[in-house]
Amino acid sequence: MMKMVNSLSLNGTGRRGLSFGSPRVPNSPRVGFYRKSLVSRSFEILIVICLLLSFLIAMGCGYIYVFPNLSQAIHAYGVLPNNSSIATCDVFEGSWIRDSSYPLYNGSECPFAEQGFNCLANGRKDDEYLKWRWKPDSCDIPQFNVHKILDGLRGKRIVFVGDSMSRTQWESLICLLMTGVEDKKSVYEVNGNKITKQIRFLGVRFGSFNFTVEFYRSVYLVQPGPKPRHSPKRVKWTLKLDNLDDISRQWIDSDVLIFNTGQWWNEGKLFQTGGYFQVGGPPVKLGMQITTGFRTALTTWASWVETMVNTNRTRVFFRTFEPSHWSDQGHRRFCNMTEEPISETKGKDQSPFSDIISEVVKNMTVPVTILRVTLMGAFRSDAHVGKWSDSRSVVDCSHWCLPGVPDMWNEIVFSSLLSNDGF
């Protein structure tokens, strides 16, 4: 600092000005010089002080604006913050290890475990697929402390939105939580409904703890619509990519909001049923690719979250695509089930839908935690429903048995929530 000040006090001859301790000579011609030198030096010091203040202000603004963005980036990439044991760990990079303490519940004792997902009850003889736990490479996921979680959920509202994979995770969470409830009858579906594949809303209330766990069926997240007038004959219905589902207003004011979509974004569910994309009204986008439509829909969802969800209250999660283990051989599909997790993903850990989810969330202005479960599922060719559904004639190589893989998704969600002091 002294060098800076001194460098600014050089006079016209290149020599340093006289020091403030130099004696003055009254009535001397040099008095004016001294006064000018003092004024010049004071002005120079004032400039330096202003520069320092400007620097400090800039640093303060940087702290205010940059650090929140860093926090959002942490959420966007799925790193679970605020917990010293996992804050620097990517919990989605790891492997499955044997653990005899699993499963964490009995599917036959949970009234909310859908019969079609209860593989043991449907005749599966081996139970080794139940005894695996996800182990991140650099840390451990905390044990599911059901009593602590139940206490933390008092007065709260947990909402799942998506397709049947979301419903599976919803069922899994209810079964996990019920292991800590003494009065099982205090847990009930709010409308007395049975769990079915087509119902759009299911809500289970934990009366003793005053909270609900809800599921909203919205397989595309955006709004399906009727065929527009004057559309080609092949068009039977449309998917309005710029309008979120008409039940979206019911997702607001939740404390935890978990989304998924992807399983219905394929030609069989869309084009082969006469479903095409629409943006902003007619005409129908007949040539739009599915991945383009998916990205457009996700952008609509992101805008809705940014404008409609109070993320100071609501923790928002988005789960990536869940891989299946179908094998196409000619015109037939085979379910490649194994007895144990496989050691190589064989490309199942890659998904354009998962990539799009990551890209969209990365550009959001509010924090959203991505549950990057694609790799986890890629190893688990042993854990699908397979031929052990409630309909023996239907083989299912997409959905997961319960108990099973979705339990681990919930363990990760609550390791994140419990690491947040506000939970």
Side-chain angles (χ1 to χ4, degrees), residues 11 17 37 51 80 83-84 86 113 125 141 144 154 250 259 264 266 282 292 300-301 310 327 346 354 399 415:
N11 62 24
S37 178
L51 289 173
L80 306 177
N83 185 313
S84 59
I86 58 175
K125 300 301 182 183
I141 297 170
F144 192 84
R154 290 182 185 274
Q250 300 178 47
F259 292 94
W264 286 59
N266 59 69
T292 303
T300 299
W301 164 84
N310 177 11
S327 175
K346 300 179 181 179
S354 297
H399 293 92
S415 69

Side-chain angles (χ1 to χ4, degrees), residues 143-339:
Q143 186 178 14
F144 192 84
N145 188 331
V146 65
H147 297 293
K148 184 176 182 180
I149 291 171
L150 285 169
D151 283 336
L153 287 175
R154 290 182 185 274
K156 289 184 168 57
R157 181 173 174 241
I158 315 300
V159 172
F160 290 86
V161 180
D163 52 31
S164 56
M165 294 294 186
S166 183
R167 190 178 73 250
T168 308
Q169 187 179 4
W170 171 79
E171 295 175 22
S172 160
L173 178 58
I174 294 170
C175 293
L176 285 167
L177 294 176
M178 285 193 70
T179 62
V181 177
E182 292 185 9
D183 182 9
K184 307 299 184 186
K185 293 182 180 180
S186 68
V187 183
Y188 56 92
E189 205 287 322
V190 294
N191 294 318
N193 290 323
K194 293 183 178 180
I195 298 175
T196 66
K197 297 180 179 179
Q198 300 301 323
I199 193 167
R200 296 211 70 187
F201 169 74
L202 290 163
V204 169
R205 181 170 181 78
F206 285 70
S208 301
F209 295 89
N210 189 32
F211 70 85
T212 58
V213 184
E214 304 170 20
F215 166 69
Y216 290 88
R217 185 175 185 270
S218 179
V219 298
Y220 296 110
L221 299 184
V222 290
Q223 180 64 37
K227 174 181 178 178
R229 295 180 62 185
H230 309 301
S231 295
K233 288 184 179 181
R234 57 175 162 160
V235 178
K236 306 299 181 184
W237 61 279
T238 62
L239 199 56
K240 299 180 178 180
L241 301 177
D242 53 346
N243 291 338
L244 210 63
D245 198 319
D246 59 7
I247 60 172
S248 59
R249 61 187 179 277
Q250 300 178 47
W251 312 338
I252 304 173
D253 296 329
S254 54
D255 296 281
V256 181
L257 189 51
I258 305 173
F259 292 94
N260 97 297
T261 187
Q263 295 292 331
W264 286 59
W265 291 83
N266 59 69
E267 290 192 3
K269 299 288 189 181
L270 288 166
F271 304 151
Q272 292 178 17
T273 65
Y276 290 87
F277 302 129
Q278 191 175 4
V279 181
V284 176
K285 307 292 184 180
L286 295 175
M288 181 178 284
Q289 296 182 345
I290 289 178
T291 51
T292 303
F294 185 84
R295 183 184 297 274
T296 305
L298 260 289
T299 302
T300 299
W301 164 84
S303 177
W304 178 85
V305 171
E306 290 171 341
T307 57
M308 299 299 294
V309 177
N310 177 11
T311 53
N312 291 322
R313 170 190 172 179
T314 306
R315 282 291 304 273
V316 182
F317 295 84
F318 203 113
R319 198 177 69 253
T320 59
F321 190 73
E322 311 87 354
S324 66
H325 288 86
W326 291 104
S327 175
D328 293 322
Q329 298 181 13
H331 297 289
R332 300 186 63 185
R333 301 178 76 194
F334 292 89
C335 184
N336 290 332
M337 295 283 293
T338 58
E339 293 185 358

